[in-house]
Amino acid sequence: MSAPGVSARQARAGIVVTGTEVLSGRVSDRNGPWLAERLRELGVDLAHTAIVGDRPGDMEAALRFMAEQGVGLILTSGGLGPTADDLTAEVVGRFQGREMVVDPALEERIAEIVRPLARRWPNLDQDAIRAANRKQATIPAGSAVLQPVGTAPGLVVPPADPNGGPTVVVLPGPPRELQPMWQEAAGSDALRAAISGARVYRQSTLRLFGIPESEIAETLRVAEREGVELGALEITTCLKRGEIEIVTRYEPGAQSAYEAFEALVERRHADTLFSRDGSTVDEQVAQLLRGSHPPLTIATGESCTGGLVAARLTERAGASDYVKGGIMAYSNDAKVAVAGVAGELIEAHGAVSEEVARALADGARDRLDAEVGVGVTGVAGPGGGTPEKPVGLVWLSVVVGDYEPLTRSVNLPGGRSDVRDRATTVAMHLIRRALTTRLAGGSAAAGGSARSSAGATPG
Amino acid sequence: MSAPGVSARQARAGIVVTGTEVLSGRVSDRNGPWLAERLRELGVDLAHTAIVGDRPGDMEAALRFMAEQGVGLILTSGGLGPTADDLTAEVVGRFQGREMVVDPALEERIAEIVRPLARRWPNLDQDAIRAANRKQATIPAGSAVLQPVGTAPGLVVPPADPNGGPTVVVLPGPPRELQPMWQEAAGSDALRAAISGARVYRQSTLRLFGIPESEIAETLRVAEREGVELGALEITTCLKRGEIEIVTRYEPGAQSAYEAFEALVERRHADTLFSRDGSTVDEQVAQLLRGSHPPLTIATGESCTGGLVAARLTERAGASDYVKGGIMAYSNDAKVAVAGVAGELIEAHGAVSEEVARALADGARDRLDAEVGVGVTGVAGPGGGTPEKPVGLVWLSVVVGDYEPLTRSVNLPGGRSDVRDRATTVAMHLIRRALTTRLAGGSAAAGGSARSSAGATPG
């Protein structure tokens, strides 16, 4: 259809995230990752993401770099606000060889949006508002305007010369403005034209919990020896919050090569492979609770994780169908008074102990009248560690109905936030394992066996 | 001291984050922002951050781009692991014109580190481990080795030709390996030489809560009219979780210009400026609780935020000195049984109401025997909204001792996670305001006045 050079250009894209606050690390970028996923869905290969400050020269250099890499599409985020350091529209206009013009209809539209806000803050300076509106309505001539979600419009800006390089899509910085606006951008003719050569890829994700990354390296070598056609698969492995994620991208013709690879992973890592369809442990736990007849309810009793397990269980829409609530018992008093842990247990074994983890799980389940209870107690650090109970030691317990609780300890590496975060992930996996073994009709004896198997899985 | 061109080169740096999992958005990058802060501390200006996948061509293009921008220093993260897609050392070696060699001492050191891990997983393949060690000990000749924190060493790789371009510092991907290793890198002679021309900058941060960004744009225009020397200040403003952050970077000679600017912000935004020294609301709340004599204790009663307020209060080391715990009462049953909210209140006013927010604050304080209680109840969405109580409506209440509680409602924009996150930030500000007014010796009457003032501050 088109020359190979053109097709290669059209299939690739770049992202330019702007903002000194992002470059300097004060704000972490959520738009680059989100847009990367959207490009993948469109079958567009992302070549580079660049983060630049609010300096026109640096922004232009990044756009030029992307163009030199032969991308057909550049997405930018940020720099559309009303302050003078918001320069993106102007820089992109110059880069594309287009003059800046005021769009009167857009100016009126922005004024309409701003009016109710101005009523909330009645003392605002009217000139300031008009100047801000005018600035946000000044755009490169010939751009397609994407309707504002907040006050800033987005833009699709093709090059002035039709053979002159990539199309630039200019999007606002706040994720809750950028994300809805993307729908309109993705449907625009100018963007569709820029990616017309996109290929279709499939992508499959496997997730494992509880083995080191070097084992996957070895599995890849075994795959090679066994003649799996790895050349047709783009495999990336990544260690993420204690889980290993294996993502494979391939063209539809390589489906059987992928299936051979997946079968090998399944054979070698049966006990640690927990997801073959890309589902996360959070989705699986929600599905196990909600999918029971009737749905199972859950409650948390947390100490060192400070509410993170409860927060993670309630992250998903509809969590109120199965989450009853939680007790965050930070002090020993709270463990006794609110979570119903016996004071003697704490005295005899310490607050960080198997016994207290079990009592927290029991207490949460009983006090919140749930079917499943989760208990977590540990030393998050940096203080409070001892030779017997060092920073990073965490005891976790999950009790399902009348089954024997599933209890284990882990020694987690890293600083306070690593320990809290990782313990939350371990809790999710322990809930999953407890539900899987118990709901499979496990008895108290089956509980015992699942318990020792969980114990052998390092965190 | 040196030619201007050289000095400019030496003062700037670039960051190259590698990893298809980061580029594709599956993992969010924590290293770029962290390294950006470290560069700032060294007085080195960061020009660009680039994120590239595990493809050698793209990685080299990013290094070349940075060199063309005239940076004297490039930091890379990731791509040092044992799998075949970990290519950074090799790509950087080629880029710097250096041959790859095995470092036998390093190979032995890595073997020592891996040995205890191998004992934890006794069934690992020994050949696989040796191959992984050898790969990680193969480095560009003439590099300075940074001792492994995990199993991967870091590298400082100067160009083979002493006038040949930037020095590249190669760091591992996991933040808990990269961060300790940075200390050694920053102290190395090769890195010091690369940044010898770095300038000293000062940086000051102001934080405001409860006004739109356009007001800051207007304040900048007023500053200009009043003759504040803005040209000497690099000011960036940024809206972040509902707060506005104004960061100003300037050379020491511009101190008085900065002071004039700060005084103007203080004059125009007295009621919303909550931090002049860069301290966060989290730090201020911790300081207010811990700084009281005796320290005040706090407890949370949360519904829609699902534990996020408790998690945020316990994020900081030493939180156990003042956080007693929390009750996450998601279901109405839990609100009644565990948090002590009267069932009639819920029936009469609904779970999302001023009355229930106050009862959650009271209940948390009483049940957990704390001095300060926080109550949060709202509609996080996506379901559950009504015309009277739409998604985003959140009621919050803070009670300090016997003072009149400080209670307010906000209508928060965005999706479920935005509402949960933003409500958590509003809670932190409400705690701060309640403590500030109450600890200043406020009476029940003073409480009443603070209440209406908080009510006037939009979320």
Side-chain angles (χ1 to χ4, degrees), chain A residues 12 26 45 49 51 55 58 121 128 218 236 240 245 247 306 311 314-315 324-326 328 331 416 420 458, chain B residues 12 26 45 49 51 55 58 121 128 218 236 240 245 247 306 311 314-315 324-326 328 331 416 420 458:
Chain A
R12 293 191 102 195
R26 294 195 305 277
D45 193 25
T49 295
I51 305 176
R55 295 167 184 161
D58 289 345
W121 287 291
E218 178 58 14
T236 52
K240 182 170 159 185
E245 190 180 72
V247 177
T314 54
E315 226 170 68
K324 282 269 193 157
M328 200 286 274
S331 66
R416 181 178 177 85
R420 282 161 47 100
Chain B
R12 293 192 102 195
R26 294 195 304 277
D45 193 23
T49 294
I51 305 176
R55 295 169 184 160
D58 289 345
W121 286 290
E218 178 59 14
T236 51
K240 185 172 156 183
E245 189 180 73
V247 177
T314 55
E315 224 170 69
K324 283 269 192 156
M328 199 286 273
S331 66
R416 181 176 176 86
R420 282 161 48 99

Side-chain angles (χ1 to χ4, degrees), chain B residues 373-392:
Chain B
V374 186
V376 185
T377 179
V379 189
T386 64
E388 297 76 41
K389 297 186 179 177
V391 170

